[in-house]
């Protein structure tokens, strides 16, 4: 838990969220400003600023994050038509919240590449 981290405060319940899923290691909630009909953020409960600081010891956690996201995508009925995962990282990546989060975006056809 990092004291000044928005997503740590969401995990602890100090800031409310629209929760989708929770277990011992992973928390998922609806993005407050959705960029697609389905926009869910999947985060590790462990505070890590961004994906670049993940270490070998975090390999299982990062794997779990993606596997849980697959289940969340399936439950949101996105598996058949497809969806997009995004991990914005750093300044050029457009990261605004410095606690690793996997964006799950779906429910519409998306263009590529991003702007
Ligand atoms: P990023 O730009 O990749 O760091 O994404 C941060 C995301 O967090 C954005 O899509 C925001 O809309 C979302 N966000 C910010 N504050 C909240 C909040 N209180 N509850 C849910 N989502 C949030
Ligand atoms: Zn945090």
């Amino acid at each position: 838990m990092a004291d000044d981290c928005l997503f740590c405060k969401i995990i602890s319940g100090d800031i409310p969220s629209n929760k989708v899923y929770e277990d011992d290691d992973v928390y998922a909630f609806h993005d407050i400003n959705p960029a697609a009909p389905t926009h869910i953020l999947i985060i590790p409960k462990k505070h890590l600023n961004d994906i670049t600081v993940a270490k070998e010891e975090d390999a299982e956690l990062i794997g779990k994050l993606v596997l849980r996201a697959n289940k969340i995508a399936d439950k949101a009925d996105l598996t058949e038509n497809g969806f997009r995962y995004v991990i914005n990282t750093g300044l050029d990546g457009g990261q605004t919240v410095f606690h690793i989060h996997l964006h799950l975006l779906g429910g519409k056809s998306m263009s590529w590449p991003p702007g």
Side-chain angles (χ1 to χ4, degrees), residues 51-104:
I51 198 70
T52 70
V53 302
K55 299 218 164 28
E56 206 55 44
E57 69 201 36
D58 301 311
E60 197 176 330
L61 178 61
I62 302 301
K64 192 170 175 186
L65 199 70
V66 176
L67 293 177
R68 292 300 169 273
N70 286 351
K71 286 220 164 111
I72 291 163
D74 202 39
K75 220 166 170 198
D77 221 17
L78 297 176
T79 305
E80 190 179 338
N81 281 354
F83 53 84
R84 185 171 293 171
Y85 288 148
V86 173
I87 302 178
N88 294 325
T89 305
L91 198 61
D92 279 359
Q95 186 177 7
T96 59
V97 178
F98 288 84
H99 178 129
I100 291 180
H101 48 284
L102 178 65
H103 292 261
L104 165 62

